[in-house]
Amino acid sequence: MRAHVLVAEDDARQAEVVRRYLEAGGYRASVVHGGRDAIDQVRQARPDLVILDVMMPQLNGVEVCRVLRRESNVPVLMLTARRDEDNLLRGLDAGADDYLIKPYNPRELMARVRTMLRRSQWAPAEPDAELRVGEIVVDVRGRHVTSGGRRVDCTPGEFEILAAMAAAPDRVFTRAQLLERARGFEAAATDRTVDMHVMRLRRKIEPNPRRPAYLLTVYGIGYKLTDGSR
């Protein structure tokens, strides 16, 4: 059965280009041009992934993403212009899983689509699952971490941040999103607290903390956890 991808893009020409690439890649694609139409289509068709432009009539992409996150766990790939960094941050905080900045290469878009669909298909179904990202293993039930087979001692806040990122490899998390995880254990946590957690985690899990391979900074946005292959 082919995966269904919904494209919500107000630029009809751009939407058609994306639709053709998706169908050539073996996916079933449908297109809407407005925010409310996107919400209606998700409710009716239950797509496997949504490609969501930030700037749309009716409701913008950030508002649409907030609605979708209240009702669904469908993966959301947000498209934004370089000048819309504030909207991008709001979109990630609203629950978007990944983003692309316009203009983008359609091949990169397709690579993101494949990765997000694979990630959602194989996402751990149980909260006590063992999360593995490259050499890093997070045992959620046992609440312990290993890196390269070596046991790593984490504070509760560090563990929650690392577990959140390990559950969604390559997803970019804003500081605000990670702060929500840390605040469950640290009532006075701030954005600076997140940066300190990341710095300490790098010392614990990275072969070379000065040149991190796993816990990467996405400048102007936040952090992501990768398998170290790039």
Side-chain angles (χ1 to χ4, degrees):
M1 184 174 180
R2 295 189 300 166
H4 177 201
V5 180
L6 173 64
V7 180
E9 165 68 76
D10 67 329
D11 185 325
R13 181 177 296 179
Q14 183 65 30
E16 178 63 14
V17 169
V18 174
R19 184 189 67 78
R20 289 180 180 178
Y21 266 88
L22 288 167
E23 292 184 347
Y27 303 109
R28 183 163 59 92
S30 55
V31 174
V32 295
H33 301 296
R36 290 194 180 93
D37 295 333
I39 293 170
D40 290 343
Q41 186 70 3
V42 170
R43 288 169 175 167
Q44 294 169 15
R46 298 189 178 279
D48 299 295
L49 184 145
V50 177
I51 298 175
L52 182 62
D53 187 30
V54 168
M55 302 305 294
M56 287 192 299
Q58 303 171 353
L59 292 174
N60 67 36
V62 175
E63 294 167 325
V64 171
C65 195
R66 289 196 184 104
V67 173
L68 296 184
R69 278 296 162 263
R70 289 197 295 267
E71 302 179 2
S72 169
N73 290 322
V74 61
V76 175
L77 174 60
M78 187 157 282
L79 306 178
T80 181
R82 189 174 299 276
R83 64 180 180 274
D84 291 332
E85 184 172 291
D86 288 344
N87 275 332
L88 170 59
L89 289 169
R90 285 194 286 269
L92 290 170
D93 285 339
D97 297 276
D98 203 350
Y99 70 94
L100 270 178
I101 294 176
K102 297 179 178 179
Y104 53 83
N105 187 319
R107 290 191 180 90
E108 182 179 4
L109 174 67
M110 294 301 298
R112 298 289 182 93
V113 167
R114 287 191 295 271
T115 298
M116 291 176 69
L117 287 170
R118 184 168 61 247
R119 183 192 305 163
S120 64
Q121 181 180 1
W122 298 105
E126 299 296 331
D128 60 355
E130 182 179 86
L131 307 174
R132 184 181 296 271
V133 184
E135 294 294 314
I136 298 168
V137 180
V138 179
D139 183 340
V140 179
R141 183 172 57 184
R143 296 191 68 80
H144 64 76
V145 176
T146 60
S147 178
R150 174 179 53 86
R151 179 72 174 260
V152 174
D153 293 324
C154 296
T155 67
E158 290 168 0
F159 182 87
E160 288 300 315
I161 287 173
L162 187 60
M165 290 192 286
D170 293 316
R171 171 178 170 176
V172 179
F173 288 84
T174 66
R175 287 174 175 83
Q177 289 172 320
L178 296 175
L179 188 58
E180 286 297 313
R181 302 299 296 256
R183 274 184 174 153
F185 294 89
E186 302 171 24
T190 65
D191 282 5
R192 181 59 180 159
T193 306
V194 172
D195 293 338
M196 293 300 293
H197 281 321
V198 168
M199 182 179 69
R200 288 195 295 265
L201 280 168
R202 282 173 172 161
R203 290 174 180 168
K204 296 175 180 181
I205 67 173
E206 295 282 359
N208 182 357
R210 293 179 180 272
R211 301 186 67 180
Y214 301 115
L215 187 42
L216 306 182
T217 299
V218 181
Y219 291 100
I221 307 297
Y223 300 100
K224 66 178 180 178
L225 188 68
T226 76
D227 63 6
S229 62
R230 290 185 291 180

